[in-house]
Every structure is written in structure tokens, then in C-alpha cells.
Amino acid sequence: MVLSTGLSKFKAAVFISGTGSNLKSLIRFSKTKKSPISISLIVTNNSKAKGLDFANTYKIKKKIYNFKKKKLAEKKILLELKKNKIQIICLAGFMKILSKSFINNFKGKILNIHPSLLPKYKGLNTHQRALDKKEKYSGCTVHYVTSKLDSGKIILQTQVKIDKKDTPKSLAKKILKQEHKLYPKALLKIFSL
Ligand code: GRF
């Protein structure tokens, strides 16, 4: 994906709703020399998101939007993204579904991480569903965001073996650990094309 030329890093915004462990791994990655991105904005729909602490720790601008008025929230976000010259959006545990028109405004420049081997187990409760189906493997996927939930082009996946004793919680933990490695790898992949 070529977004612009020049030696500086691409400006990214990360959207979160909760703990923000993927955000943390992306911030740490963004500070390495090899990272194609720098993170200049953190967006959330949840004023209590624990991940917002990382905005303070790493001195990154954060913005909170009320999605009860989704259209208005998206309009404000788009303005903020423009203001900050954001070139790429990384969704990382962002629990709101963005509208088609928002996505079209950033066509091909929104990524998401999902805790399953897509196209399997789109949506919520992925770990429970994978366990119920007695899958031998699950994993995580970084993909482009389109208006169809968890269905955009896959960039990278990592498989994780499911053990007999795994619970949704233990599986989530194992997968999350891989997510932290996968997102940076996916960014390196798309920017080296
Ligand atoms: C991750 O498992 C992500 O794949 C899913 O929500 C979780 C977010 O975790 N969409 P965190 O907020 O990055 O810790």
C-alpha cells in the first residue's frame, strides 16, 4: 500500500474500546526504527477504556466519542483524523461497527485484528464458538476493513493450537499474545509491498 512518498513514517490512529494491549504493542513497535508507522491519535468510544492510560504514558493525543449518536461521532472523528493528517487507521479491540460511509472515506486504509482464523468465527464470542466446535486450532487475523463485518481481505494470520484443557479465557490469553506480534508484522507486510 503506497500512501505517500518521503522518508517520514505514516501517521496512524488506533481505535480502542477496552484494555488496549494491542495498542500498547503497536505503540512500542511504532517507536522502533523499522516501523512504517507513527501513532499520533488514539480514538475510543469508551471514556473508561483502560487502554487510554497508554495515551498518558506515551503522551499521545486521545479523543473520546459518544457513539450513541454514531453519525455525529463519525463526522467528528473524520474531522479529527483530517486535522491530524492521519493516513492509516488500526482498529484494536474497537467494539463499534463503523458505517459504510466512514469506511469509504478511508478506503483501503483501515485495518482490524480479530481473534479467530477468519473467515471462521466472525463477530463476538469467537473462543467459545471455536471450543464448542471442537476445533484443533484457532488463532488471529489482521485484515482490511470493509463494510461487511470481519470480511475484508486477509493480510496475515497466526495459528494457535487448542489444548483439551483450554477454556475461552485461556485460549483468549494465548491468542492475544500472538496478536501482539501479528499486528506489527501485518503493518510491515502492507508497507513493504
Ligand atoms: C483482542 O482479542 C482483539 O482481537 C479483539 O478484542 C481484543 C482486544 O484486546 N478484537 P486489547 O484491548 O487489545 O487488549
Side-chain angles (χ1 to χ4, degrees), residues 18-23 92-95 112-115 127 176 179-180:
T19 316
S21 67
N22 276 292
L23 167 66
F94 185 63
M95 300 306 283
N112 182 40
I113 188 152
H114 185 76
H127 309 305
L176 196 57
E179 290 183 41
H180 300 156

Side-chain angles (χ1 to χ4, degrees), residues 121-154:
Y121 309 115
K122 298 171 183 174
L124 298 174
N125 299 321
T126 52
H127 309 305
Q128 183 67 63
R129 287 189 284 144
L131 290 170
D132 289 348
K133 285 269 180 203
K134 309 231 177 307
E135 297 281 5
K136 289 197 169 66
Y137 292 91
S138 188
C140 45
T141 305
V142 176
H143 64 96
Y144 287 106
V145 172
T146 61
S147 54
K148 248 179 120 193
L149 185 70
D150 298 328
S151 298
K153 190 170 174 252
I154 291 171

